[in-house]
Amino acid sequence: MFRSRSKDQQAATAKATADQPQQPRDPQAPKGRPTPKRSDSQTQRRSRAQTPANRKDAVRAQREARRADLARQREAMASGDERYLPVRDKGPVRRFARDYIDSRWCIAEFFLPMAVIILVLTMIRVRGVQDIALLLWFVIIVLMVLDSAVIWFRLGKLLSERFPKENLKGVKAYAIMRTLQVRRLRLPKPQVKRGERP
């Protein structure tokens, strides 16, 4: 049972392996060179990691990396580059919602300029002017609510048609919040002109 094989058996197995065609070597296989010593591989690993020697250097390196990430995000916000946008703005669904809002006129984007005008009118101590200011507040708020409702339902319909299998949670609210910003100050920057179809 535990005896060594005879010479005949060894010769038969050698012949059988010689008859089998050799399989081509996998190009990803690392062999074909001697195995490095453990000490060499450890020093290579340490030099690759390049961890800072003290805490101060580590904090500085982390701050630099964060600064570089923020700069990349700022550039992406200006150019619309999807790769470096924040998670909140990523994806084709969010891009479509942004383009839909940027391609139309929205009442809400005029809210801030109108609020300044109404604030100035309320400071004037004339009864008629203050009544006009209150009426303007009422009108602008009603128009904003109506416009937002129209956007909510139309965008919801378009999103369900174009992206039936995507997760649409929070996209309509994201679009409504974008309408509150003045077009020139929106981030990511608008990629479509007014009147263009997204």
Side-chain angles (χ1 to χ4, degrees), residues 100-120:
Y100 177 77
I101 295 302
D102 296 336
S103 66
R104 65 193 308 274
W105 291 92
C106 302
I107 307 277
E109 68 185 281
F110 300 108
F111 175 72
L112 286 176
M114 286 296 293
V116 172
I117 292 168
I118 292 168
L119 190 65
V120 169

Side-chain angles (χ1 to χ4, degrees), residues 167-185:
N167 181 14
L168 303 177
K169 186 178 180 183
V171 178
K172 291 186 279 186
Y174 171 77
I176 296 296
M177 291 305 292
R178 191 168 175 85
T179 63
L180 293 170
Q181 300 165 344
V182 179
R183 182 184 165 88
R184 201 177 304 139
L185 303 177

Side-chain angles (χ1 to χ4, degrees), residues 18-80:
D19 290 344
Q20 291 177 350
Q22 277 194 331
Q23 293 181 348
R25 200 174 136 291
D26 183 17
Q28 297 291 329
K31 282 301 178 186
R33 59 179 170 72
T35 304
K37 292 181 180 176
R38 177 177 283 184
S39 59
D40 294 341
S41 63
Q42 283 177 343
T43 54
Q44 277 183 341
R45 217 176 302 132
R46 281 195 203 106
S47 66
R48 237 182 277 139
Q50 288 182 350
T51 52
N54 57 13
R55 189 169 177 269
K56 199 173 184 179
D57 290 341
V59 169
R60 187 180 300 124
Q62 194 175 21
R63 193 181 306 126
E64 289 297 323
R66 195 177 322 120
R67 198 173 288 146
D69 284 345
L70 287 173
R72 209 177 300 126
Q73 275 188 3
R74 245 182 271 115
E75 287 174 27
M77 288 285 208
S79 64

Side-chain angles (χ1 to χ4, degrees), residues 98-105 183 186 189-198:
R98 285 195 306 272
D99 290 347
Y100 177 77
I101 295 302
D102 296 336
S103 66
R104 65 193 308 274
W105 291 92
R183 182 184 165 88
R186 289 176 184 165
K189 295 272 186 201
Q191 302 294 312
V192 294
K193 294 178 180 175
R194 290 195 201 268
E196 276 185 26
R197 291 187 68 139

